[in-house]
Amino acid sequence: YAIIKAHELDPEITLDIYGECIDNKYKQFLEKLIEDYHASEYIMLKGYRDHVADIYQQYEVFLTTSLGETFGITLMEAAGSGLAIVGLDVRYGNRLFVEDGKNGYLVPYDPSHIGLECPPETDALARCIVDIISDEGKRRSFSQRSYEIAEKYLPEQMAGKWKNLMAPYEAAIERM
């Protein structure tokens, strides 16, 4: 619904959805939603793809509406590709990779809205997407900040963090 609303505000906005739906009912729901809103010209189900980091380079904004994100590999890939990120303010992944107003937006989420066909957060998500798409300077600064956030997770950075974490244990083992 957020993209349908965003598209109403800016007809240039499109959405490509990557991945496979484990639940066929959800895929059918998406297909019906696209059909009911005559959105097949601007919302595309792309299916599963390998090497999505390469695909991310074609986009400007990553939208995540997950209600429970753990570390969020897709978020790390999106940040590492310099995308602005718009998502719900849910624990863990989104808060780890989105600095509200700096590389994207975290939209407040009320868990009591689960099950609503079009929850109130939809309008806020749409406005955030339009805000980023309509401002080239903001897109550039959000992109730069996403790159900076992702740098913390480069292999050499992570290896150093693990080494620092394990150093006290290595010293204890050597004393044994």
Side-chain angles (χ1 to χ4, degrees):
Y1 292 106
I3 293 301
I4 292 166
K5 290 180 179 246
H7 184 80
E8 289 171 358
L9 297 170
D10 181 345
E12 297 295 314
I13 291 176
T14 63
L15 174 68
D16 290 340
I17 302 173
Y18 289 91
E20 288 297 324
C21 294
I22 296 171
D23 180 353
N24 197 43
K25 287 182 182 179
Y26 187 67
K27 183 176 183 183
Q28 290 171 349
F29 165 78
L30 289 175
E31 290 170 339
K32 183 168 178 8
L33 183 70
I34 291 166
E35 181 182 327
D36 288 351
Y37 283 88
H38 308 285
S40 63
E41 295 292 317
Y42 62 94
I43 299 178
M44 305 284 181
L45 299 177
K46 298 287 195 167
Y48 176 80
R49 298 288 198 282
D50 283 327
H51 311 293
V52 291
D54 297 334
I55 293 170
Y56 287 155
Q57 296 300 316
Q58 303 169 33
Y59 300 97
E60 297 172 327
V61 177
F62 182 85
L63 174 65
T64 175
T65 56
S66 173
L67 300 180
E69 195 60 66
T70 55
F71 177 72
I73 295 297
T74 57
L75 294 165
M76 182 174 64
E77 291 169 334
S81 297
L83 297 179
I85 304 172
V86 175
L88 298 172
D89 189 7
V90 294
R91 294 188 302 166
Y92 311 120
N94 291 358
R95 292 178 184 170
L96 189 61
F97 289 100
V98 182
E99 293 178 359
D100 193 42
K102 295 181 181 175
N103 75 316
Y105 295 112
L106 290 171
V107 173
Y109 173 71
D110 182 344
S112 71
H113 296 157
I114 289 177
L116 294 178
E117 185 171 322
C118 188
E121 292 85 358
T122 303
D123 288 327
L125 288 166
R127 285 190 306 274
C128 290
I129 293 163
V130 171
D131 179 66
I132 295 168
I133 294 295
S134 65
D135 186 334
E136 186 177 335
K138 186 173 286 183
R139 282 195 317 273
R140 276 196 303 258
S141 69
F142 280 15
S143 174
Q144 181 58 41
R145 185 64 190 137
S146 280
Y147 282 127
E148 292 166 1
I149 291 168
E151 282 178 359
K152 295 185 285 191
Y153 300 96
L154 290 171
E156 56 273 11
Q157 297 291 330
M158 295 305 296
K161 290 177 184 179
W162 276 109
K163 187 173 180 155
N164 291 340
L165 177 68
M166 298 306 294
Y169 300 103
E170 289 176 4
I173 291 170
E174 288 176 11
R175 288 192 299 266
M176 295 178 129

